[in-house]
Amino acid sequence: EPSSLTKKLPLTPSGNRGASLVSSDSQITVVLPSGAIGPRAGDSAVRIDLTPVDPAKLAPLGDGLEAFGNSYRIEATYLPSGTAVRDLGAQIDVILVYPVTATLHSTSHELLASPTGDRWKPLNSNDSITAQQVEALTSELGYVVVGGVVSPLPVTDSPSTSGVWRRWPGC
């Protein structure tokens, strides 16, 4: 079960201080540079919510891409007013971890973003296959997901218990 994260950050006259937010299961990390969320008259803090969302409940990724792992909604709300943060003063860095599964393989992954979850755009992503994570900068709040083109499962030669090599489908 993926974990969510809610974090309250104080605001200074120039906005938020730099912060790194990591969910307890480490599936999502969001790095906010100082001033990414600007000040707002009457508000002294901002609440950041990182909420996992089933990618099947959002629009298809398009371009033959499949979702790898969970989608996340990134929201920010000024406190105490409760006003939603609409614009960022600087790009935020988002890192998503994706699973290795027996049925879903890809040789490359990218981070996609959508303000509303109904239309996706690819971000300039850095994929670390060995760490199973994708990182990208975004200038919008909303939804993020790892996407990739599904590759066929490799078929490898494996020895049987008799010592004779056989081809096992799906391995």
Side-chain angles (χ1 to χ4, degrees):
E1 199 59 34
S3 64
S4 59
L5 175 72
T6 296
K7 183 78 172 175
K8 182 178 170 183
L9 302 174
L11 290 175
T12 69
S14 57
N16 70 288
R17 291 188 181 108
S20 293
L21 311 173
V22 183
S23 65
S24 63
D25 59 5
S26 299
Q27 286 192 42
I28 184 170
T29 301
V30 175
V31 180
L32 288 97
S34 294
I37 299 173
R40 186 173 186 280
D43 287 316
S44 58
V46 64
R47 185 184 73 228
I48 308 294
D49 294 297
L50 308 177
T51 308
V53 177
D54 179 353
K57 295 183 178 186
L58 303 171
L61 304 184
D63 293 330
L65 298 173
E66 295 288 333
F68 283 70
N70 297 301
S71 297
Y72 276 85
R73 184 170 183 186
I74 303 170
E75 298 175 284
T77 308
Y78 286 108
L79 299 174
S81 72
T83 302
V85 174
R86 299 280 180 224
D87 299 309
L88 295 175
Q91 290 185 315
I92 61 173
D93 196 5
V94 178
I95 302 165
L96 285 183
V97 173
Y98 54 86
V100 171
T101 66
T103 58
L104 194 59
H105 298 277
S106 181
T107 56
S108 67
H109 305 84
E110 63 184 326
L111 204 60
L112 293 101
S114 173
T116 59
D118 62 356
R119 185 178 212 170
W120 296 96
K121 71 175 181 181
L123 301 175
N124 186 13
S125 305
N126 296 307
D127 182 14
S128 174
I129 293 175
T130 56
Q132 296 170 227
Q133 66 184 28
V134 178
E135 176 267 341
L137 296 173
T138 183
S139 56
E140 295 180 311
L141 298 174
Y143 296 88
V144 291
V145 66
V146 174
V149 175
V150 176
S151 301
L153 290 172
V155 176
T156 60
D157 289 326
S158 301
S160 70
T161 55
S162 66
V164 177
W165 286 84
R166 295 186 182 158
R167 288 182 87 63
W168 296 99
C171 293

